[in-house]
């Protein structure tokens, strides 16, 4: 079957694994396979994967603990040790079965093991299907900084099958939906209109929505694979969003990535100049429909500003926010000062209080 997308270095299939993976795998002719999953995806997604692909249940591999907290050097050492113990050679195929953490870290380990072995991404969350598994960003967190260590390295293929959404909680599904909203704003007016009509993520026809959302990511990555400029537009909502995500990470009530990015998009849209024609009101309305906004205390504002100083997009010590511009696939840079962060968070707080 023809891939849904063909990037310069790899195909992406969106749709049933059973109709795509077995034929691809057979023609690829790998003799050694190593499967990386986390404890959750091994339990909930591996049975589905085996059933859909017909791969043997005793496929060698490793299991890592689930969660962003374990996206670090120690877990990599564990993965590399298990790769060595399995006698993996450079002709092997690594299968990353999981969300963004498994894909980023499994890809990082594969791309560095014996100077690189092939790997395939089997994303199991909406977040990783629409974003993390496309575009070759691999890496791990270091010294408390997300994705501080990593590289660009392409998989040999990506297979996105919404069958795995049955294994996700509603909260996890919503988390990925924030990136779908982001993609629509960046480059697909028709998708944007479609999203306005949605009320229930469980009732969505995912194959077509996924295709439209992934198409935006594919186009951005093709235009600027190594993030010289335009690709930063995919970071819309993430400058403020990442700071909020980090701020709440070590509290009793952490946010999902998507929940933090939803607040980030709200606040960054608030700062967007009129020339970007960002649909601020419609965006706020859509975000409010799917995300319950968390109050951010005024005392947290300086801490958020401090966290924003770590953002990888910053240059010459200046915080930079990447906004979608009026034309699709255009980027508008903003260099906010602390007062502007304060202003956007105040509007955010006022919106919550007003119950809008
Ligand atoms: N997730 C943002 C990017 O791939 O560039």
């Amino acid at each position: 079957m023809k891939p849904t997308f063909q990037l310069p270095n790899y195909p992406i299939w969106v749709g049933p694994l059973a109709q795509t993976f077995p034929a691809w795998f057979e023609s690829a002719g790998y003799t050694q396979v190593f499967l990386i999953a986390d404890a959750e995806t091994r339990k909930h997604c591996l049975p589905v994967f085996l059933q859909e692909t017909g791969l043997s249940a005793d496929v060698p591999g490793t299991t890592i603990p689930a969660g962003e907290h374990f996206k670090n050097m120690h877990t990599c050492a564990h993965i590399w040790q298990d790769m060595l113990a399995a006698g993996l050679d450079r002709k092997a195929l690594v299968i990353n079965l999981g969300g963004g953490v498994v894909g980023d870290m499994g890809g990082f380990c594969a791309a560095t093991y014996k100077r690189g072995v092939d790997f395939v991404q089997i994303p199991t969350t909406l977040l990783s299907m629409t974003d993390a598994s496309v575009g070759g960003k691999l890496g791990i967190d270091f010294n408390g900084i997300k994705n501080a260590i990593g590289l660009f390295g392409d998989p040999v293929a990506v297979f996105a099958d919404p069958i795995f959404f049955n294994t996700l909680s509603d909260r996890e599904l919503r988390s990925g939906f924030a990136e779908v909203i982001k993609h629509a704003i960046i480059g697909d007016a028709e998708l944007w209109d479609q999203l306005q009509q949605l009320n229930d993520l469980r009732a969505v026809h995912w194959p077509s929505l996924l295709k439209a959302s992934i198409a935006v990511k594919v186009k951005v990555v093709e235009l600027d694979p190594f993030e010289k400029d335009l690709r930063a537009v995919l970071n819309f909502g993430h400058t403020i969003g990442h700071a909020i995500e980090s701020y709440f990470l070590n509290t009793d009530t952490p946010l999902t990535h998507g929940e933090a990015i939803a607040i980030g998009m709200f606040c960054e849209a608030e700062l967007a100049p009129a020339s970007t024609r960002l649909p601020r009101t419609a965006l706020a309305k859509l975000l409010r429909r799917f995300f319950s906004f968390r109050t951010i205390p005024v005392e947290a504002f300086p801490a958020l500003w401090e966290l924003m100083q770590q953002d990888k997009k910053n240059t010459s010590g200046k915080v930079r926010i990447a906004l979608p511009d009026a034309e699709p696939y255009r980027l508008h840079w903003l260099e906010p000062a602390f007062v502007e962060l304060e202003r956007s968070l105040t509007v955010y707080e006022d919106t919550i209080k007003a119950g809008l």
Side-chain angles (χ1 to χ4, degrees):
M1 193 196 261
K2 246 179 78 170
T4 316
F5 302 99
Q6 181 61 57
L7 277 87
N9 295 335
Y10 59 100
I12 300 173
W13 276 277
V14 181
L17 271 168
Q19 291 171 20
T20 55
F21 186 89
W24 173 84
F25 183 67
E26 203 182 311
S27 68
Y30 291 100
T31 50
Q32 261 190 325
V33 173
F34 186 87
L35 188 138
I36 303 177
D38 69 30
E40 291 299 314
T41 54
R42 180 158 293 271
K43 192 162 144 203
H44 302 292
C45 303
L46 184 59
V48 178
F49 178 69
L50 297 177
Q51 182 193 302
E52 296 300 300
T53 60
L55 239 65
S56 150
D58 57 10
V59 54
T62 191
T63 306
I64 58 176
E68 180 81 25
H69 190 62
F70 297 97
K71 192 180 176 184
N72 58 34
M73 288 288 289
H74 301 291
T75 313
C76 288
H78 164 86
I79 295 172
W80 285 318
Q81 262 155 12
D82 284 356
M83 284 174 163
L84 283 171
L88 223 61
D89 64 34
R90 292 173 74 180
K91 295 262 161 64
L93 175 72
V94 170
I95 299 176
N96 295 318
L97 179 73
V101 173
V102 170
D104 285 10
M105 185 161 50
F108 176 69
C109 287
T112 47
Y113 178 81
K114 296 191 175 175
R115 297 209 180 86
V117 291
D118 286 355
F119 64 96
V120 67
Q121 303 291 39
I122 316 284
T124 56
T125 62
L126 173 55
L127 187 58
S128 55
M129 283 185 211
T130 197
D131 189 14
S133 68
V134 180
K137 279 188 179 176
L138 312 172
I140 53 170
D141 303 339
F142 187 69
N143 264 12
I145 302 171
K146 269 176 81 109
N147 303 320
I149 308 293
L151 70 155
F152 285 101
D154 287 330
V156 286
V158 180
F159 296 89
D161 185 347
I163 192 170
F164 292 113
F165 294 170
N166 298 330
T167 69
L168 302 179
S169 66
D170 289 348
R171 195 175 178 205
E172 284 169 311
L173 194 60
R174 278 199 302 273
S175 181
F177 192 61
E179 304 288 355
V180 176
I181 295 174
K182 181 194 78 180
H183 287 164
I185 289 190
I186 290 171
D188 190 337
E190 210 174 295
L191 176 61
W192 173 246
D193 288 344
Q194 239 176 294
L195 299 187
Q196 315 295 302
Q197 314 303 323
L198 293 184
N199 286 303
D200 175 6
L201 295 189
R202 292 291 175 195
V204 165
H205 181 255
W206 281 110
S208 56
L209 207 80
L210 262 181
K211 278 178 203 165
S213 179
I214 294 174
V216 174
K217 171 98 196 226
V218 164
K219 184 154 178 190
V220 173
V221 165
E222 280 183 328
L223 289 167
D224 181 18
F226 302 115
E227 200 166 316
K228 300 282 183 226
D229 194 52
L230 172 70
R231 183 163 173 173
V233 77
L234 297 170
N235 254 265
F236 169 47
H238 287 61
T239 310
I240 297 179
H242 270 158
I244 291 170
E245 190 178 4
S246 303
Y247 181 82
F248 283 106
L249 194 65
N250 294 318
T251 66
D252 292 339
T253 49
L255 292 165
T256 64
H257 178 69
E259 285 162 352
I261 298 315
I263 304 173
M265 284 195 284
F266 180 100
C267 292
E268 292 183 14
E270 210 40 59
L271 300 179
S275 64
T276 62
R277 297 211 291 275
L278 226 127
R280 189 184 294 160
T281 312
L283 174 63
K285 200 169 148 212
L286 184 60
L287 291 171
R288 291 289 274 162
R289 194 179 310 153
F290 289 97
F291 298 93
S292 50
F293 280 170
R294 167 92 48 97
T295 288
I296 300 176
V298 177
E299 307 81 73
F301 295 2
L304 294 176
W305 183 245
E306 198 54 42
L307 285 161
M308 285 162 65
Q309 308 303 314
Q310 300 289 346
D311 194 286
K312 284 192 281 303
K313 299 185 296 302
N314 296 352
T315 53
S316 315
K318 287 213 167 102
V319 169
R320 294 199 306 163
I321 287 178
L323 296 171
D325 212 345
E327 290 297 308
Y329 301 101
R330 288 280 175 80
L331 167 68
H332 182 98
W333 283 114
L334 206 67
E335 288 184 357
F338 177 61
V339 286
E340 286 164 294
L341 173 71
E342 272 185 315
R343 179 168 68 75
S344 68
L345 286 164
T346 306
V347 174
Y348 168 79
E349 286 300 315
D350 290 347
T351 307
I352 298 178
K353 282 190 202 120
L356 298 174

